[in-house]
Amino acid sequence: MAPPETVIHLQTPASAQQLPVIRAVASTVGMSVDLDLDVISDIQLAIDEACTQLLRRCINGAVLHSTFEALGNGLRVTVAAAPVRSSVVRDKSFGWDILDTVTDSIELNVLDSAVLALWSSSDQPVGSISFTKLAPKK
């Protein structure tokens, strides 16, 4: 029988002071699936960049929602902020280049009002960045 998947959800104030907590949770989940330190380091860097992209666009009182999904050979992380201003990330930024370099896949979403009620009582959009980092093949 396959082990159950690990999925951790974390909600924090949208503040740079919360980045160490988010990185620590990612590290713990990464270690639980035996990712090496280089992969975990890339995940932490990607978390810093994804959160920074969102924090720059948060409205006062925003909340960061982080989800960590352990894969058999990696980790999928989604960081969402609610509420944010409508322009979330420009894909030509240096931070986006870093995210693209240290991850295996990356996705940006601005969620509309159909899913907004799940994240926020505001009528402002929710910005979300998801990425996957896989362990190198041996």
Side-chain angles (χ1 to χ4, degrees):
M1 175 174 11
E5 286 187 24
T6 300
V7 179
I8 305 290
H9 301 280
L10 177 65
Q11 180 176 319
T12 62
S15 165
Q17 287 87 2
Q18 299 301 319
L19 288 177
V21 173
I22 298 168
R23 283 192 308 263
V25 171
S27 295
T28 302
V29 175
M31 285 187 269
S32 76
V33 292
D34 293 326
L35 297 179
D36 66 34
L37 293 178
D38 289 336
V39 173
I40 291 172
S41 180
D42 285 349
I43 291 168
Q44 290 176 325
L45 179 58
I47 285 171
D48 283 348
E49 289 301 324
C51 288
T52 299
Q53 292 284 340
L54 294 172
L55 289 173
R56 287 184 187 148
R57 290 146 181 93
C58 284
I59 293 172
N60 286 341
V63 175
L64 278 178
H65 300 268
S66 305
T67 302
F68 309 89
E69 181 181 357
L71 308 172
N73 61 340
L75 188 64
R76 173 132 178 103
V77 177
T78 300
V79 181
V84 295
R85 294 185 290 277
S86 58
S87 63
V88 178
V89 177
R90 285 178 262 141
D91 354 43
K92 296 191 181 190
S93 70
F94 181 67
W96 191 261
D97 288 342
I98 291 172
L99 280 165
D100 193 39
T101 300
V102 300
T103 61
D104 293 298
S105 69
I106 187 163
E107 181 180 315
L108 165 68
N109 292 299
V110 177
L111 307 176
D112 61 19
S113 59
V115 293
L116 192 56
L118 298 173
W119 295 89
S120 170
S121 59
S122 168
D123 62 353
Q124 297 292 323
V126 176
S128 164
I129 297 175
S130 299
F131 66 85
T132 301
K133 180 66 180 181
L134 302 173
K137 294 181 182 179
K138 296 179 180 180

